[in-house]
């Protein structure tokens, strides 16, 4: 992706300014806006400065945004804010699915996760009144066992993935080679036909597991009603 | 259409899973622990889709993702029902408050 040097330097300067402003403001009140501006600038910078194809730059930015939102879920002391970060994380995942060529699953992800599950979490946070008080705010476990264990898990997974990816064929260099990633008409067509094949398989070959899942959801529904009901002595109206 | 290499997807999914595992281990708030579990399930979904795309758009990956999403929805509903029941009993959503089974 060739672009004029002046434009490249302007974009590089914007990118640097975005990084500085984000670092300065990240703990402030406008963190989401700043982070969004930063991600847009990062996409432009990756495209113009480092010459990544736009689709790869988009993927990188979506991935970084999703990871940042996941960190926000884990690290923010207020559970209500964690739930909002969860919405950002799941919507980012949906955008990733869309970019990868799974539009139906992206819609399902938004409907089920960003819609139903996040609202359920927020509902419980409000019901139990956890957004205001101190309870659950600074609840991080003392000691290093948890971070060390999680870091070890992540490191092991990353090393395993990298080894697998590099030993498979042609290493990570090939994987990041833009020439290997052209948009092929046949691939796009196969994506569309995969949508049709998906429905055929789901309601044909995999109909029995599908029905089993519906019974699982029914059982969960009944179980939750039983669980969340007040105890028999104090029961008034459901 | 498919811009991202499979290895990058796998690394992203690994990082997401690690963040979820970290959150599950370092937080005591049961609701945030459940959110971390959801993040880990999403990382697994991403791996399934990356593998499905890598193996020539096999539909089995997408079908498994649908099932994982359904199971995650059921799990979230049951888990949050348990949390509300525990909160009614203990007036707390800390994992350290549920110690009644300790001998």
């Amino acid at each position: 992706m060739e672009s004029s040097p002046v434009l490249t330097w302007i974009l590089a300067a914007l990118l640097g300014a975005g990084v500085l402003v984000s670092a300065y403001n990240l703990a402030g009140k406008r963190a989401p806006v700043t982070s969004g501006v930063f991600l847009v600038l990062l996409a432009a910078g990756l495209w113009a400065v480092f010459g990544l194809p736009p689709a790869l730059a988009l993927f990188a930015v979506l991935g970084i945004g999703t990871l940042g939102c996941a960190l926000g879920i884990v690290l923010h002391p207020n559970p209500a804010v964690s739930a909002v970060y969860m919405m950002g994380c799941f919507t980012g995942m949906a955008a990733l699915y869309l970019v990868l060529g799974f539009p139906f699953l992206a819609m399902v992800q938004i409907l089920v996760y960003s819609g139903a599950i996040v609202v359920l979490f927020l509902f419980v946070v409000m019901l139990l009144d956890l957004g205001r008080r101190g309870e659950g705010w600074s609840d991080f476990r003392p000691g290093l066992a948890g971070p060390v264990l999680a870091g070890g898990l992540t490191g092991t997974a990353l090393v395993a993935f990298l080894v697998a990816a590099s030993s498979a064929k042609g290493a990570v260099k090939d994987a990041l080679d833009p020439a290997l990633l052209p948009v092929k008409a046949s691939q796009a067509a196969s994506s569309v036909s995969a949508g049709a094949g998906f429905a055929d398989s789901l309601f044909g070959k995999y109909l029995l597991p599908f029905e089993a899942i519906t019974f699982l959801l029914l059982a969960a529904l009944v179980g939750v009603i039983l669980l969340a009901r007040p105890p028999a002595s104090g029961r008034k109206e459901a | 259409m498919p811009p991202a290499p499979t290895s990058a997807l796998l690394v992203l999914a690994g990082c997401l899973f690690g963040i979820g595992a970290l959150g599950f281990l370092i937080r005591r708030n049961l609701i945030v622990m459940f959110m971390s579990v959801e993040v880990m399930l999403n990382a697994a979904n991403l791996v399934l889709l990356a593998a499905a795309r890598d193996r020539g758009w096999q539909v089995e990956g997408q079908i498994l993702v649908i099932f994982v999403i359904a199971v995650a929805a059921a799990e979230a509903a049951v888990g949050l029902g348990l949390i509300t029941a525990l909160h009614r009993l203990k007036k707390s959503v800390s994992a350290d408050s549920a110690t009644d089974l300790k001998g």
Side-chain angles (χ1 to χ4, degrees):
Chain A
M1 192 61 60
E2 290 300 319
S3 55
S4 74
V6 179
L7 183 66
T8 304
W9 281 109
I10 289 175
L11 280 169
L14 279 176
L15 183 64
V19 171
L20 283 179
V21 172
S22 306
Y24 180 71
N25 241 11
L26 207 57
K29 285 178 183 164
R30 284 185 290 273
V33 177
T34 320
S35 309
V37 172
F38 167 65
L39 286 179
V40 172
L41 287 173
L42 184 64
L46 284 175
W47 170 56
V49 180
F50 299 106
L52 257 72
L56 258 187
L58 182 65
F59 166 75
V61 164
L62 284 176
I64 290 170
T66 307
L67 283 180
C69 285
L71 275 176
I73 296 173
V74 168
L75 296 180
H76 203 280
N78 186 345
V81 179
S82 285
V84 177
Y85 270 120
M86 193 162 77
M87 187 182 289
C89 180
F90 291 160
T91 312
M93 296 286 292
L96 275 175
Y97 293 171
L98 202 58
V99 169
L100 290 180
F102 296 101
F104 175 70
L105 284 177
M107 293 306 121
V108 169
Q109 171 89 2
I110 286 181
L111 278 175
V112 176
Y113 273 113
S114 309
I117 291 184
V118 171
V119 168
L120 194 61
F121 272 93
L122 273 175
F123 190 74
V124 170
V125 167
M126 283 193 297
L127 191 70
L128 305 185
D129 198 15
L130 300 174
R132 257 186 301 144
R133 275 185 323 209
E135 189 212 357
W137 274 52
S138 51
D139 63 339
F140 297 98
R141 291 183 188 281
L144 285 173
V148 166
L149 191 54
L153 275 175
T154 315
T156 314
L158 284 183
V159 169
F161 283 146
L162 286 177
V163 167
S166 57
S167 66
K169 46 167 191 197
V172 185
K173 182 183 71 63
D174 278 357
L176 288 175
D177 186 1
L180 288 180
L181 305 162
V183 180
K184 291 200 177 74
S186 61
Q187 236 168 359
S190 77
S191 169
V192 173
S193 64
F198 171 66
D200 280 344
S201 303
L202 188 60
F203 296 109
K205 192 174 163 193
Y206 297 100
L207 185 61
L208 191 63
F210 182 77
E211 295 295 336
I213 285 285
T214 61
F215 274 102
L216 174 82
L217 283 169
L218 183 66
L221 186 71
V222 175
V224 167
I225 291 173
L226 277 178
L227 273 176
R229 234 173 155 174
S233 57
R235 183 183 303 160
K236 295 186 180 85
E237 290 292 328
Chain B
M1 288 289 292
T6 305
S7 58
L9 278 172
L10 291 182
V11 169
L12 175 64
C15 290
L16 267 178
F17 191 91
I19 290 173
L22 179 78
F24 191 80
L25 289 172
I26 68 172
R27 296 298 294 259
R28 285 201 189 91
N29 190 326
L30 281 170
I31 293 182
V32 180
M33 288 168 78
F34 259 100
M35 291 180 188
S36 307
V37 171
E38 299 290 336
V39 171
M40 285 193 273
L41 283 166
N42 262 282
N45 281 350
L46 196 57
V47 171
L48 282 171
L49 287 187
R53 201 182 58 121
D54 195 50
R55 311 275 163 135
W57 300 96
Q58 286 188 351
V59 291
E60 275 77 10
Q62 298 185 55
I63 286 172
L64 208 48
V65 167
I66 287 281
F67 288 168
V68 169
I69 287 176
V71 170
E75 172 252 340
V78 173
L80 289 172
L82 278 173
I83 289 174
T84 48
L86 185 74
H87 185 265
R88 187 180 301 128
L89 207 63
K90 298 281 183 188
K91 302 292 172 234
S92 162
V93 289
S94 171
D96 289 352
S97 70
T99 53
D100 284 354
L101 280 181
K102 208 190 262 176

